[in-house]
Amino acid sequence: MFLRLLLVAGAIIAALVALFIPGSPEREPYVQGRNKTALFISNIEHGLSNVHVATASALLEGYPDIEVHFASFAKLRSKLARVSAFAQAKTPAAKDIIFYELNGLSFYEAVLLLGGDLEKTICPPGIAGIDQFTNSLQDWISPWSADEHMVIYDQIGALIDEIDPAVVVLETFLRPALDSTRDKNRMHAIISPNTLVDNFLGDQPYGSMFWKYPALSSGFDFPVPYRNMLENIYLNFRFIYAAMLTPNLSAKKAELRTRGVKDPINFLKMHRPDVPWITMNTEGASIPVDVVPTNVTCAGPILLSVAPASEQDPELAGWVSRGPTVLINLGSGFSYPINYVRPMVEAVVDVLTKTHVQVLWKFNKYGEYSDDELAPLKPFLESGRLRLSNWLPIDVLSLLETGHIVASVHHGGSNCFHEAVSAGVPHVILPLWVDLYNFAALSETAGIGVWGCRDTSPTWTADGISSAIIKVVDGGEASISLREKSRSLGDKLRAGEKGRDISAREIAKLAYVK
């Protein structure tokens, strides 16, 4: 639930503050261990780990001579086992991913201990929501206490010593792993679901990060309209101010230094020119930047692709194939509070009444309320035009690739966005916090989606949701344009090399010790 709040937030703040922080000193060459060995380390949350799992899968298939090790928390074990089995079905020489379970708190669990919850996460775009976000920024950067940080830090250090990998593959929000790897001066790379504009605004010339590129959480169009420029500058400086004045984080860093961590939680200098950085930046579905650091690889969508939908769940795949289907899936962590389920129920009824589509809705409750709230859906459930499920037995990308999904209704998370882009499916985005607003605006700028409830976000209205969905599926002029642009972009991406294969190739280069 909290991942989208952080994922791009931290990346942009790091880029912003980089303008005001001196460059890093020269370092000794990184240590490479055993030839043909890669150690992935990630959180378990889908928004943070999917790019790593997808890359590991492609590494198994394309480079079966490389040992793939993966350290994470317990919930990722079964997913990696499934990925190994699928890779072996495609490449018999592929080995199993060797999994190591980390003890301690996962990111999500650590956030919960800080009092994070849905109500605190949802915030409006722009100035109206800036205080809510920046006031909690220091806790989102690294939610673990010093003790919890050291539990993971020490485990990672021991694993690196035991495995002795040629390369360690990291993400930006498992801070203890990044600290441990860098303290051991090991060769490493970072894979991020972010795009260039999320991570490298500080590299853009003429201070264009302030006047040209939409600030995090602004939801402004690109380039920033003149009428929004002053607000954009103000938002950027608020992020800088919040990132530099983090007393709780400073105290934690000081304590970690006393325990031997050399440069703890250096959030503002995560990017190093000598560390390969792989991003999901996608031409045609990302804001273009003027300067790309030489160590950055733009891979496009880095997505996990396993078995076709018909193999994962033949019954559901058969239902989807009956006709045009709207998929409503607001990410792996979102559940519906009562004030969000009511407008969605009303909107679904309206869409099913006015169109001939069917709807697959991934639905989970947040809080306690009666099932009677769903009563208006009963006729459509009984007729078979609507399905509600608290989980999807088919991976989202495989569902989208069936060709039967005519609209992907999601929250604007990077994975959801890139899955629909890759499959050539138009978006209906219902953003609720921070960077989600920028993906919603981007979908409209690119002509591949609609920002639902734009005038009321993050509050939903039934009319705002249903009118956005109907605009995409009704077959009118706007609908045709959205479908054609989405399909054209998807066709172009599928005709080229897959992002996960590009990412795997970059990691393989480091796994082969010269």
Side-chain angles (χ1 to χ4, degrees), residues 36-292:
K36 304 178 184 179
T37 309
L39 170 60
F40 289 77
I41 310 173
S42 84
N43 281 294
I44 56 175
E45 292 77 18
H46 296 305
L48 300 176
S49 66
N50 273 4
V51 290
H52 296 78
V53 176
T55 301
S57 175
L59 204 60
L60 292 182
E61 297 172 22
Y63 306 88
D65 58 330
I66 294 177
E67 282 184 21
V68 179
H69 301 253
F70 208 117
S72 188
F73 301 94
K75 290 183 179 179
L76 208 58
R77 182 189 296 273
S78 60
K79 185 174 185 177
L80 292 172
R82 186 165 65 100
V83 165
S84 295
F86 182 73
Q88 289 160 3
K90 295 179 66 176
T91 305
K95 308 178 184 73
D96 286 335
I97 294 174
I98 304 169
F99 180 73
Y100 304 85
E101 181 178 332
L102 296 177
N103 299 320
L105 297 173
S106 69
F107 184 90
Y108 181 76
E109 291 168 338
V111 167
L112 288 179
L113 285 182
L114 291 175
D117 59 26
L118 181 61
E119 283 79 7
K120 290 183 179 179
T121 301
I122 294 174
C123 60
I127 289 177
I130 190 65
D131 287 341
Q132 184 176 342
F133 172 58
T134 56
N135 287 342
S136 61
L137 176 62
Q138 60 192 28
D139 293 330
W140 298 108
I141 287 176
S142 184
W144 295 276
S145 68
D147 288 340
E148 294 157 355
H149 188 102
M150 291 305 300
V151 167
I152 301 172
Y153 175 96
D154 288 338
Q155 288 178 84
I156 297 301
L159 279 176
I160 290 174
D161 291 342
E162 174 188 343
I163 299 166
D164 190 25
V167 58
V168 181
V169 186
L170 300 166
E171 51 131 309
T172 57
F173 279 95
L174 189 52
R175 296 303 319 206
L178 189 63
D179 288 348
S180 186
T181 301
R182 288 185 167 177
D183 281 0
K184 287 185 171 292
N185 199 40
R186 301 298 298 228
M187 175 67 72
H188 61 287
I190 291 175
I191 307 178
S192 171
N194 300 130
T195 63
L196 291 172
V197 75
D198 302 324
N199 290 113
F200 301 107
L201 283 186
D203 295 273
Q204 305 314 306
Y206 311 118
S208 56
M209 57 184 291
F210 294 103
W211 54 266
K212 180 178 180 180
Y213 298 99
L216 172 67
S217 86
S218 68
F220 295 152
D221 295 330
F222 170 81
V224 175
Y226 289 118
R227 66 181 182 277
N228 300 127
M229 202 165 291
L230 288 178
E231 183 178 349
N232 199 66
I233 294 171
Y234 172 78
L235 291 172
N236 278 327
F237 275 106
R238 282 295 304 273
F239 293 137
I240 294 172
Y241 181 82
M244 297 182 72
L245 298 176
T246 54
N248 290 352
L249 190 60
S250 297
K252 187 194 302 183
K253 291 168 70 170
E255 183 174 351
L256 289 171
R257 286 193 188 95
T258 67
R259 300 191 186 194
V261 182
K262 295 176 185 177
D263 187 20
I265 320 178
N266 190 342
F267 194 73
L268 306 180
K269 283 296 179 181
M270 266 192 299
H271 172 249
R272 291 179 175 181
D274 55 356
V275 173
W277 187 294
I278 304 168
T279 170
M280 283 216 285
N281 205 78
T282 304
E283 185 178 356
S286 298
I287 292 174
V289 298
D290 297 317
V291 175
V292 181

